[in-house]
Amino acid sequence: MKSIVDYSHEFLLPVLHKGAVCVDGTLGNGHDTKFFLEQGVRKVHGYEIQEDVFNKTVEQLSSKRFIGHCKSHEFIDEIEEIVDAIIFNFGYCPGKEESITTKGNTSLLAVQKAFSLLKKKGRMALVFYPHEEGKIEAKIIMEWLFTLSGIDMIKIEMLQKDCPYFVGIEKK
């Protein structure tokens, strides 16, 4: 069976082309950025707050099409171009310190700013994880999303208890 991250990647595929600009709002180990680069997109911006994780991932990526930002994703509005695809995998970096997680207030700000960068027909994938901070984060972000008009939204989740889930947004 596919993972939730696989579903999020499938959702983003239709907007990925050789001229696409993408954002990985939660760089971590770089799996989403690698996915974007493998699709042949023009540029990928990646945000990571943990300097050691950032440095290791940047070293592994070694692509001229990748622009790394060692800072919180709440500064995503520093990108001065329209974006085709954005992904956030909220939570903590797998294999790293689990107490360092994304937080509801900064993640909401990042999603709001990311949405304003998204082009018409652009897509954003949000992957939420069911740890304590993740539940708060998902609630805050979902409440905001339900106030928006001009979007189509899909949710995919496994039926087991405490599994991650994915929300896909397309800007109309």
Side-chain angles (χ1 to χ4, degrees):
M1 182 171 278
K2 293 178 190 174
S3 73
I4 289 298
V5 172
D6 291 336
Y7 284 113
S8 70
H9 288 178
E10 281 184 14
F11 174 76
L12 295 171
L13 267 175
V15 299
L16 303 180
H17 50 83
K18 68 179 182 176
V21 175
C22 304
V23 177
D24 182 346
T26 47
L27 181 64
N29 293 318
H31 300 297
D32 296 319
T33 293
K34 288 176 193 169
F35 164 73
F36 285 141
L37 293 170
E38 288 167 357
Q39 306 314 306
V41 302
R42 181 170 58 91
K43 188 185 299 181
V44 181
H45 291 271
Y47 286 82
E48 176 56 53
I49 199 163
Q50 296 179 75
E51 189 173 353
D52 59 331
V53 173
F54 176 81
N55 290 335
K56 183 178 179 186
T57 301
V58 168
E59 184 179 306
Q60 290 174 348
L61 290 170
S62 68
S63 172
K64 293 179 181 178
R65 294 178 290 139
F66 171 70
I67 300 166
H69 305 271
C70 188
K71 57 177 73 174
S72 173
H73 53 212
E74 70 185 288
F75 298 105
I76 201 168
D77 59 337
E78 293 175 350
I79 298 171
E80 296 182 349
E81 54 193 325
I82 301 300
V83 175
D84 296 88
I86 302 165
I87 191 164
F88 290 92
N89 266 288
F90 299 108
Y92 54 85
C93 183
K96 299 295 179 186
E97 180 58 49
E98 292 183 14
S99 66
I100 302 173
T101 69
T102 53
K103 303 289 184 193
N105 58 344
T106 54
S107 293
L108 173 61
L109 193 55
V111 170
Q112 290 170 328
K113 291 177 176 183
F115 184 76
S116 70
L117 295 173
L118 201 60
K119 72 187 252 182
K120 186 176 181 181
K121 295 291 185 187
R123 291 185 172 191
M124 183 171 6
L126 310 174
V127 180
F128 296 103
Y129 293 85
H131 55 85
E132 285 310 306
E133 183 64 36
K135 290 175 184 176
I136 295 166
E137 191 171 42
K139 181 180 184 302
I140 292 168
I141 292 170
M142 291 305 295
E143 285 175 356
W144 177 75
L145 287 172
F146 283 121
T147 69
L148 296 177
S149 58
I151 66 169
D152 286 326
M153 195 165 33
I154 185 172
K155 179 180 180 184
I156 297 176
E157 62 184 321
M158 303 302 214
L159 295 178
Q160 292 91 341
K161 185 178 181 186
D162 292 331
C163 286
Y165 63 94
F166 146 69
V167 175
I169 299 127
E170 182 176 274
K171 195 173 194 177
K172 289 184 177 182

